[in-house]
Amino acid sequence: GNSVTQMEGPVTLSEEAFLTINCTYTATGYPSLFWYVQYPGEGLQLLLKATKADDKGSNKGFEATYRKETTSFHLEKGSVQVSDSAVYFCALANFGNEKLTFGTGTRLTIIP
Amino acid sequence: GAGVSQSPSNKVTEKGKDVELRCDPISGHTALYWYRQSLGQGLEFLIYFQGNSAPDKSGLPSDRFSAERTGGSVSTLTIQRTQQEDSAVYLCASSPGNLGETQYFGPGTRLLVL
């Protein structure tokens, strides 16, 4: 079956640091890959997505590249801000089976 | 409305009682999903609707859980004879229904079973 493994948290960084949150997956076929973010007190919202191998999703300075050869979709940002403090979830969905399979989530805290 | 709405936002109930959770998807979205977010299990899929049909109910944890959708819009998730392990945040999401489309999540219903 499908599964998503992401970096255990919590992660604490200083403002302007470089961020990487690792995500690897197991799936049949060619899934779509997503990063969702949950800011404090708010609902889940899509951060970025990629639907095929070598695609790069990007939004708000965050990027992730769909790497089929390593079955990975690592999230990166070059310079984090305090406002990036949130819980980040990696997820996948198979073509034709649209339910999302989530990783366990990584809590990110950015200190000024 | 502008987004997915859910009600109630919080629900406290006693063990053994039945509860109903409601989801109003984004207007025009044909696909609707229920997920559960709990400390021990993370984010889990429960059930998926396309229109009023549920082609995937594989995530419902027991026969105490059921869901329906009427008019291709509002959905209700019902939990009968609630147990303490049912305590969680229940999330609803909707999408336009085309393959690969983004799912948009509601704020969730926080359920506490005493």
Side-chain angles (χ1 to χ4, degrees), chain A residues 49-64:
Chain A
K49 70 177 185 181
T51 57
K52 61 182 188 296
D54 299 325
D55 267 3
K56 178 185 283 188
S58 61
N59 186 25
K60 299 183 179 181
F62 290 88
E63 292 184 338

Side-chain angles (χ1 to χ4, degrees), chain B residues 55-96:
Chain B
D56 190 348
K57 305 178 183 180
S58 63
L60 294 177
S62 76
D63 59 7
R64 297 186 295 105
F65 287 73
S66 63
E68 64 175 12
R69 189 179 185 194
T70 55
S73 181
V74 172
S75 176
T76 302
L77 176 69
T78 301
I79 309 173
Q80 296 178 309
R81 305 180 303 281
T82 52
Q83 304 295 312
Q84 288 181 334
E85 61 263 28
D86 300 334
S87 296
V89 177
Y90 289 82
L91 297 172
C92 177
S94 71
S95 79

Side-chain angles (χ1 to χ4, degrees), chain B residues 5-8 20-24 34 74-77 92 109:
Chain B
S5 60
Q6 294 185 245
S7 60
E20 286 189 351
L21 312 180
R22 176 187 169 107
C23 172
D24 280 275
W34 284 98
V74 172
S75 176
T76 302
L77 176 69
C92 177
T109 293

Side-chain angles (χ1 to χ4, degrees), chain A residues 32 34 36 38 43-46 49 51 89 93 95-104, chain B residues 33 35 37 42-45 48 56 58-59 91 98-107:
Chain A
S32 295
F34 306 83
Y36 277 83
Q38 192 169 33
L44 267 176
Q45 53 188 276
L46 179 70
K49 70 177 185 181
T51 57
F89 293 90
F95 186 84
N97 180 7
E98 298 300 296
K99 66 184 180 187
L100 289 166
T101 299
F102 287 91
T104 52
Chain B
Y33 308 79
Y35 295 87
Q37 187 174 21
L43 267 161
E44 306 172 278
F45 165 79
Y48 157 53
D56 190 348
S58 63
L91 297 172
N98 297 318
L99 296 176
E101 288 281 0
T102 297
Q103 294 181 27
Y104 296 87
F105 282 80

